[in-house]
Amino acid sequence: MTHFRTSSAAALLIGVLSICSAWAQGARSEPTSSTQHSTNVDPARTQLESDKKINSTAPVTVIAAAEPVLTIHGLCQDQSIQPATAANSCTTVVTREAFERLLDSMNITGKPLTPETRRNLAEVYAQYLVLERPATKAGLESTPRFSEIMRWWRLRTLAGLYRGNLQEQFKSPSPDEVHAYYVQHLQSYQRIKAARILIPRTPGDTDEAKRSDKKALEVANTARERAANGEDPDLVQKDAYSALGLSSPPITNLGANPRSNFPTEETDELFSLVSGQVSKVETEGASYVIYKIASKETLSEDSVKDEISRQIAQSKYDEAMRSINESAKPEFNEAYFGSPKTAPAVSPSASPHP
């Protein structure tokens, strides 16, 4: 029996990273910072340390680090041994520690993996291990194509590891950085609860459009006066629609909203009002609008510190990548590649082979 711990990196890397690419592609639907795991795990770490490891990829059932999770009967690690027969049998065993080390090296997003995902990988992994011997025997490992593919994967892997290293480096801003960011962007954490009275208007240059628009503005001014005098915005909205011969008035309660949810030209006025005050009649596209402020609040620093940490980390990462990318400018031969406007973009995660 052969206890398999590590595989020939050259023969296995293409398949391993192909699966890694698929995982990463699927995980990008949700913008989040990825966690990079190093592939250079010390093989001499003790079993006790491995058993204590709480890993997002660990199965629900507790399995000892040295216990097999994948056994391939008839596959020998020693390439000199002939294929297994009844008289000459051997097995390759992948322990939990070895398998999770493989998972960690590929799961660059750091997201928990389902048992189904782990099993699917194990099945593909077993296939690759079985194909390793005939592929090597066929001399594919020594071909120029293999060398070029491995060179591409080396570059891609190093780039991915470096990006992950930067994200890891910046992921935990200091409390002073978080506080400074909070103070600097305090306005973005302000919220107002408001009721909105919306009066449809009729923009246009025709006489009929002008008459309709004048009527809508009169109704809007009346609605504002009633709201300012303390009348219920829902009732005011309903009466305004009736005055214009319209039905199905919209709800007025907007809930709590930040500045970014209001038109830029209105935010200073709206956020300067206090509870109970009413805005002037605003023009928003095909409507006249009146806002009545119900309450105002500013989110506490503690409640938004995680969001701030992510924003600071992302900003540092973007700046570091911008500096690196601007340090070397590629020049492309358009006679060969074509114009940037017509040539299809090449994804940095694209594989150079089928």
Side-chain angles (χ1 to χ4, degrees):
M1 177 181 293
T2 301
H3 288 273
F4 183 84
R5 301 287 182 175
T6 58
S7 176
S8 169
L12 187 61
L13 186 57
I14 294 176
V16 168
L17 291 181
S18 295
I19 300 172
C20 174
S21 174
W23 287 356
Q25 297 269 353
R28 287 191 186 115
S29 60
E30 183 178 340
T32 76
S33 299
S34 63
T35 301
Q36 182 63 47
H37 296 280
S38 171
T39 58
N40 297 322
V41 178
D42 180 6
R45 65 184 178 179
T46 64
Q47 178 173 320
L48 178 60
E49 291 174 315
S50 180
D51 287 338
K52 286 183 177 180
K53 180 180 178 184
I54 300 176
N55 192 304
S56 64
T57 62
V60 175
T61 303
V62 177
I63 303 295
E67 188 172 343
V69 294
L70 171 62
T71 303
I72 307 174
H73 299 282
L75 179 65
C76 306
Q77 183 181 17
D78 187 347
Q79 298 289 342
S80 65
I81 298 178
Q82 296 299 316
T85 65
N88 175 31
S89 62
C90 59
T91 58
T92 291
V93 174
V94 183
T95 65
R96 194 206 81 185
E97 179 183 17
F99 187 67
E100 290 185 358
R101 191 161 61 238
L102 175 66
L103 291 182
D104 286 346
S105 71
M106 293 188 301
N107 186 15
I108 61 175
T109 66
K111 294 180 179 296
L113 304 179
T114 65
E116 182 182 7
T117 299
R118 289 194 299 269
R119 185 179 185 87
N120 289 341
L121 174 64
E123 291 175 352
V124 175
Y125 187 39
Q127 294 172 16
Y128 286 175
L129 290 174
V130 172
L131 288 170
E132 179 180 22
R133 176 184 294 165
T136 303
K137 186 176 180 180
L140 298 179
E141 194 173 15
S142 303
T143 61
R145 185 185 183 196
F146 180 83
S147 297
E148 286 303 310
I149 290 174
M150 294 306 296
R151 187 168 71 91
W152 169 265
W153 282 118
R154 176 184 177 275
L155 290 172
R156 174 179 170 173
T157 303
L158 282 174
L161 287 173
Y162 184 73
R163 292 190 186 103
N165 184 67
L166 285 179
Q167 291 171 336
E168 184 72 19
Q169 176 183 338
F170 298 138
K171 75 174 184 179
S172 300
S174 69
D176 288 343
E177 289 178 297
V178 171
H179 178 69
Y181 187 99
Y182 176 77
V183 172
Q184 183 179 356
H185 299 85
L186 189 61
Q187 284 190 341
S188 66
Y189 302 113
Q190 294 176 340
R191 302 287 184 269
I192 56 172
K193 289 184 178 180
R196 180 187 63 183
I197 301 170
L198 186 147
I199 314 296
R201 54 187 294 261
T202 310
D205 295 328
T206 65
D207 290 342
E208 182 179 355
K210 290 179 180 178
R211 283 194 298 271
S212 296
D213 194 55
K214 181 179 179 181
K215 173 66 173 177
L217 181 58
E218 290 173 354
V219 171
N221 286 328
T222 300
R224 183 194 181 281
E225 182 177 354
R226 290 178 60 187
N229 288 333
E231 294 193 46
D232 179 27
D234 282 329
L235 178 60
V236 174
Q237 173 80 88
K238 180 180 178 180
D239 290 346
Y241 261 57
S242 295
L244 296 174
L246 302 174
S247 59
S248 302
I251 61 173
T252 62
N253 184 9
L254 298 181
N257 288 275
R259 287 173 172 263
S260 59
N261 285 8
F262 297 96
T264 304
E265 62 274 14
E266 299 173 11
T267 54
D268 286 343
E269 178 202 2
L270 295 180
F271 279 80
S272 67
L273 300 175
V274 299
S275 178
Q277 288 188 321
V278 177
S279 73
K280 65 182 181 182
V281 176
E282 306 284 1
T283 302
E284 296 180 9
S287 300
Y288 290 116
V289 178
I290 304 104
Y291 293 96
K292 183 170 184 177
I293 308 303
S295 64
K296 295 175 64 176
E297 67 172 337
T298 299
L299 302 180
S300 68
E301 180 178 336
D302 188 63
S303 69
V304 295
K305 65 180 180 180
D306 290 341
E307 174 190 342
I308 292 176
S309 293
R310 289 191 294 269
Q311 290 171 335
I312 293 175
Q314 186 64 49
S315 178
K316 288 183 176 181
Y317 172 81
D318 291 343
E319 177 58 28
M321 290 302 300
R322 183 197 63 78
S323 178
I324 293 170
N325 290 331
E326 289 184 355
S327 66
K329 294 290 186 180
E331 180 179 345
F332 302 97
N333 185 332
E334 293 189 6
Y336 179 79
F337 292 108
S339 168
K341 296 180 181 180
T342 58
V346 178
S347 169
S349 62
S351 173
H353 58 285

